[in-house]
Amino acid sequence: MRVTNHPVLGDAPPGRQVTIWLDGEPLAAVEGEPIAAALLASGRRVFRRTPRFHEPRGVFCGIGRCTDCIMTVDGVPNVRTCVTAVRDGMVITSNLKEVPAGDQ
Amino acid sequence: MPGVKYSGRLSDAELAAVLPPAERLAQGPVAVIECVQSIPCNPCEKACPFGAITVGDDITALPALDRAKCKGCGLCISRCPGLAIFVVDASGDEATIMLPYEYLPLPAAGDVVDALDRSGKPAGTARVLKVNTAAGLEGTAVVTLAVPRKLADIVRNFRPRGRDAIYICRCNEVSEAEIRQAVREGARTVAAVKLATRAGMGLCQGRTCRRLVSRIIAEETGQHPAEVLPATARPPVRTLPLGTLAGGEDDE
């Protein structure tokens, strides 16, 4: 779900529809919205798994503070998806399949 | 509200304004809307199929509950983004409390759990009667607890028993029990706890956990949290690629 008409903020500005690549699959997104917003709108709630206990994590604070929502974006690891804007063609991967060793 | 000291939970004066009178509680289940801040929010108004909740045209107005119309169905509970709505039934020997619950794993009906008051402190024992996870609740489970009747106005949350999964440091997955253990073994400062447990060494650099660690040290050692030596704060204040510091790349 995307909020297009907010009771206080008003109407959302019209955004350009773009395609981002999530774990190899194309996903329609709006340019400029946070990556996390595009993922949530598509129904994705688990963004990664934790190194120590392999528990699912997604959006927690939503303001760039907690780093729960980090993913790998265009090859850059640990990007906070809640404060990173969507650009056309972005390649986003999670660490869902990875099992990082040593960093515990 | 004039005269209210903001503590993060409702004051006695604020509670008095939202708690139902004893006569209404004795008549059967009724919503308790513990919403006291004038924020722009009104999903509760649309959630009620009986028209018992009114916010009105001014979206920052507090919800007004018509307790005569309220059937205690609980449909409003999961619709409140602030998790501020409960349904209390104190008409029987035991009171039941329906509350929103957004933690995993969910309890099961029949579980015995620690009932918590509004400050998160244990208030007694509760039994889980029902866990509602219907799709329409959109991820906010509605849990029904049975508690002694005298706790009907006290209990507003619960903690499952036998689990050590309350994370203090979310980045490095360090639990409350691990931090308490480190303090008991001699770590008396936030930095010492950090060295012992890695709490605060993750990507967020302690933004989420350092105050909680201070509070735990204070509780364990009988100090005031302000007396606990805080962690050393070092720049940068937010995560940066190393290339930015080296001047090799433009930071966006």
Side-chain angles (χ1 to χ4, degrees):
Chain A
M1 185 186 85
R2 286 182 173 84
V3 178
T4 53
N5 179 267
H6 190 279
V8 173
L9 301 176
D11 292 336
R16 188 163 74 96
Q17 290 289 323
V18 296
T19 301
I20 58 178
W21 295 86
L22 177 63
D23 291 330
E25 301 285 330
L27 176 67
V30 178
E31 189 172 55
E33 71 181 349
I35 297 169
L39 266 56
L40 287 178
S42 77
R44 170 89 171 246
R45 296 183 70 179
V46 176
F47 289 14
R48 67 179 180 106
R49 287 194 175 266
T50 58
R52 190 174 172 192
F53 297 121
H54 304 278
E55 291 182 343
R57 290 288 183 271
V59 173
F60 181 61
C61 79
I63 54 170
R65 184 181 170 107
C66 75
T67 71
D68 259 13
C69 65
I70 53 170
M71 298 177 82
T72 298
V73 177
D74 291 338
V76 179
N78 302 334
V79 171
R80 295 168 298 166
T81 57
C82 69
V83 291
T84 304
V86 162
R87 286 189 317 270
D88 194 14
M90 263 182 165
V91 177
I92 297 155
T93 52
S94 72
N95 67 349
L96 278 173
K97 296 185 188 69
E98 301 163 22
V99 182
D103 185 23
Q104 294 198 5
Chain B
M1 189 181 253
V4 169
K5 183 176 176 232
Y6 290 101
S7 63
R9 53 185 182 267
L10 274 67
S11 67
D12 291 344
E14 287 170 321
L15 274 178
V18 297
L19 288 177
E23 310 86 72
R24 179 62 186 87
L25 275 174
Q27 285 167 15
V30 64
V32 181
I33 306 182
E34 302 193 359
C35 172
V36 294
Q37 292 206 316
S38 302
I39 57 171
C41 186
N42 65 354
C44 55
E45 183 172 37
K46 293 196 181 87
C48 181
F50 306 106
I53 304 176
T54 309
V55 175
D57 290 336
D58 176 7
I59 194 174
T60 62
L62 295 180
L65 174 68
D66 184 340
R67 294 192 186 104
K69 288 184 184 170
C70 177
K71 311 263 192 251
C73 67
L75 285 173
C76 49
I77 294 174
S78 72
R79 306 306 303 167
C80 173
L83 309 184
I85 306 183
F86 309 85
V87 168
V88 177
D89 181 356
S91 61
D93 293 338
E94 266 185 328
T96 66
I97 298 167
M98 292 167 71
L99 50 85
Y101 192 74
E102 293 189 336
Y103 298 106
L104 294 174
L106 289 168
D111 284 2
V112 174
V113 296
D114 289 322
L116 305 178
D117 66 13
R118 292 180 183 81
S119 69
K121 296 211 163 61
T125 298
R127 212 168 68 253
V128 177
L129 295 181
K130 189 178 171 191
V131 181
N132 185 353
T133 55
L137 303 180
E138 294 184 352
T140 299
V142 175
V143 175
T144 308
L145 299 180
V147 300
R149 201 160 73 164
K150 65 179 191 306
L151 297 179
D153 285 344
I154 307 290
V155 171
R156 288 298 179 265
N157 210 329
F158 66 92
R159 177 186 285 197
R161 286 188 177 164
R163 272 187 75 231
D164 169 31
I166 296 172
Y167 289 125
I168 301 298
C169 169
R170 296 183 65 79
C171 298
N172 283 341
E173 300 169 82
V174 184
S175 71
E176 179 188 357
E178 287 176 290
I179 289 172
R180 288 193 188 278
Q181 182 66 26
V183 177
R184 286 167 196 165
E185 288 173 359
R188 291 287 189 272
T189 64
V190 178
V193 169
K194 176 165 120 179
L195 290 173
T197 65
R198 296 187 67 92
M201 293 179 76
L203 275 172
C204 88
Q205 291 288 287
R207 280 177 184 78
T208 312
C209 67
R210 63 184 169 218
R211 284 184 185 81
L212 296 170
V213 171
S214 287
R215 266 174 48 190
I216 291 173
I217 295 171
E219 279 178 23
E220 290 286 331
T221 59
Q223 294 171 284
H224 189 273
E227 295 174 313
V228 177
L229 191 65
T232 313
R234 297 184 182 88
V237 294
R238 61 175 54 156
T239 43
L240 289 173
L242 270 177
T244 304
L245 296 177
E249 286 178 41
D250 288 338
D251 187 35
E252 288 184 335

